[in-house]
Amino acid sequence: MKAPEQFDPSKITKSSAPSASPSKALQHGKSPAIPVGTPTITQTHKQTNATVKKPFEMRLLMPQYWGIWLLLALILPLVYLPLRWQFWLGRKLGISLYKLIGSRRRDTLINLKLAFPEKPEVERELMAKQVFVNQGIGVFETLCAWYRPNVFTRTVSISGLQHLIAAQNEGRAVILLGAHYTLLDLGGMLCTQFFPMDGMYRPQNNALLDWLVYNGRSSILSKQISSRDMRSVVSSIKAGHVIWYSPDQDYGLKQGVMAPFFGVPAATLTATRRLAVIGDKAKLPAVMALHTYRQTPDNIPKGKRPHYHLTITPELDNYPSNDAVTDATRVNELLEGLIRIDPTQWMWFHRRFKNGPNGRTDLYK
């Protein structure tokens, strides 16, 4: 599908710019300071209720978690540096991870070769490196979203919000199909500047990571729903909430069907079509997709701030159909069109094509 048109702040014309004379900061190529009294991210945050955080448990201090605690002790203080410095550190972190984690680098290159066979190998290698750079920056974006969200005040624009509002005005829930972009949690924080949102998640196998992620997201989402907790999912849908759900990873065919993704057969979750028929038959949930995207380069010029854009697509019409493969193909095509806006901001290091129609593939061996 053709990707939705994106807002680009660099293309603002003189006629659309404010008529006031430019400030000295603008004359010198610097972004203007945020006006005094401008509401912050936390002041404009939309949240129907505060998620109760998971209590701390003494077992999280056991030796197997010491490595994570050490990393936190090293990284967390860095989120109080200027964003430009954090992005610089994120780039260095991403490049280091690209060099050090050979298995993830290899998986990324395999995925990109499958998805972009027309591109030269050298271009795919550059894309792979940028995936890791964006993820390195994403670490800082995520930690800031959890612990220092106001640093992103006045950095976001949105298109397609009218689609979500129209469904909400009809008293319908919205299933918002997201994807694993490198600014995953920051994307959620920016979304909740415009509407409150529940989120579905899969609990982490690592108890400390699960505690950190859940509590970090408690300041963003109104409700966190385990993918195993269908009762809570049904409750949110019947209450007419917006629910973020990501169907872009491979969980095998027990929960999905084979459908093309970037032209490659991929195990695709079918839960979306089941969620779309829950609740009042006269007010079934609207299914839309969400794209979260950093528009500015990762190397922020001095005096500038990053800019992020959110896109909400129109509702999928006549969905679901009577055919699971057709529905899965439509969802994959929708997400693919959004990912293609900047493929390097999607997490290609996951084994997206690890399962085939007859079980595990040998693509990653």
Side-chain angles (χ1 to χ4, degrees), residues 241-297:
H241 291 184
V242 177
I243 305 167
W244 184 91
Y245 174 66
S246 176
D248 63 334
Q249 292 189 320
D250 185 339
Y251 292 104
L253 294 181
K254 288 184 179 180
Q255 307 173 62
V257 295
M258 296 301 296
F261 183 65
F262 281 85
V264 184
T268 304
L269 291 167
T270 56
T272 308
R273 65 196 310 270
R274 295 193 295 274
L275 296 175
V277 294
I278 293 175
D280 186 349
K281 300 303 179 184
K283 295 182 178 180
L284 290 175
V287 179
M288 307 172 186
L290 168 70
H291 183 245
T292 58
Y293 171 54
R294 188 182 68 249
Q295 289 189 306
T296 43

Side-chain angles (χ1 to χ4, degrees), residues 40-326:
T40 64
I41 288 279
T42 52
Q43 289 172 334
T44 56
H45 181 224
K46 309 294 189 298
Q47 197 171 22
T48 55
N49 59 276
T51 302
V52 178
K53 293 187 176 183
K54 289 186 176 181
F56 182 80
E57 301 177 32
M58 292 304 296
R59 68 187 179 104
L60 299 180
L61 296 176
M62 293 177 67
Q64 64 260 41
Y65 303 121
W66 288 356
I68 298 175
W69 285 117
L70 177 60
L71 284 174
L72 281 173
L74 293 173
I75 293 178
L76 269 182
L78 301 178
V79 304
Y80 293 94
L81 293 172
L83 279 177
R84 184 167 178 264
W85 296 9
Q86 291 186 50
F87 276 37
W88 182 86
L89 290 169
R91 289 199 306 277
K92 297 300 183 183
L93 174 62
I95 292 170
S96 297
L97 293 175
Y98 181 81
K99 294 177 179 178
L100 295 172
I101 309 179
S103 60
R104 291 290 189 179
R105 179 180 66 245
R106 184 171 175 274
D107 291 345
T108 302
L109 290 169
I110 290 171
N111 284 335
L112 291 174
K113 183 176 182 180
L114 292 168
F116 301 97
E118 76 283 359
K119 293 185 181 293
E121 183 178 357
V122 65
E123 185 175 346
R124 292 197 298 266
E125 289 180 355
L126 290 173
M127 289 176 67
K129 290 178 182 177
Q130 190 61 39
V131 169
F132 279 78
V133 165
N134 285 332
Q135 184 55 69
I137 294 170
V139 170
F140 288 94
E141 288 173 325
T142 292
L143 292 175
C144 281
W146 291 354
Y147 304 115
R148 198 189 170 205
N150 289 338
V151 74
F152 296 110
T153 297
R154 293 192 67 178
T155 63
V156 62
S157 57
I158 189 169
S159 58
L161 181 60
Q162 71 274 14
H163 306 307
L164 184 145
I165 291 174
Q168 292 274 277
N169 286 343
E170 294 172 357
R172 303 165 66 197
V174 175
I175 308 299
L176 205 53
L177 303 179
H180 285 81
Y181 299 111
T182 53
L183 56 93
L184 191 64
D185 286 63
L186 175 57
M189 172 59 79
L190 296 176
C191 279
T192 52
Q193 292 299 288
F194 303 95
F195 52 87
M197 183 169 63
D198 298 346
M200 293 183 65
Y201 76 100
R202 288 181 177 269
Q204 301 277 338
N205 293 326
N206 183 294
L208 177 55
L209 287 178
D210 188 69
W211 179 79
L212 287 167
V213 172
Y214 188 93
N215 287 350
R217 291 176 177 172
S218 67
S219 62
I220 299 173
L221 300 170
S222 299
K223 184 178 179 181
Q224 297 185 65
I225 309 170
S226 169
S227 56
R228 304 163 188 164
D229 185 3
M230 284 306 299
R231 180 176 296 180
S232 290
V233 175
V234 172
S235 175
S236 285
I237 289 176
K238 288 185 175 180
H241 291 184
V242 177
I243 305 167
W244 184 91
Y245 174 66
S246 176
D248 63 334
Q249 292 189 320
D250 185 339
Y251 292 104
L253 294 181
K254 288 184 179 180
Q255 307 173 62
V257 295
M258 296 301 296
F261 183 65
F262 281 85
V264 184
T268 304
L269 291 167
T270 56
T272 308
R273 65 196 310 270
R274 295 193 295 274
L275 296 175
V277 294
I278 293 175
D280 186 349
K281 300 303 179 184
K283 295 182 178 180
L284 290 175
V287 179
M288 307 172 186
L290 168 70
H291 183 245
T292 58
Y293 171 54
R294 188 182 68 249
Q295 289 189 306
T296 43
D298 54 71
N299 187 12
I300 304 176
K302 187 175 182 180
K304 300 293 183 180
R305 304 176 71 231
H307 185 272
Y308 301 89
H309 188 71
L310 313 175
T311 298
I312 299 174
T313 67
E315 177 184 354
L316 279 175
D317 58 346
N318 300 316
Y319 182 92
S321 70
N322 294 323
D323 187 85
V325 174
T326 298

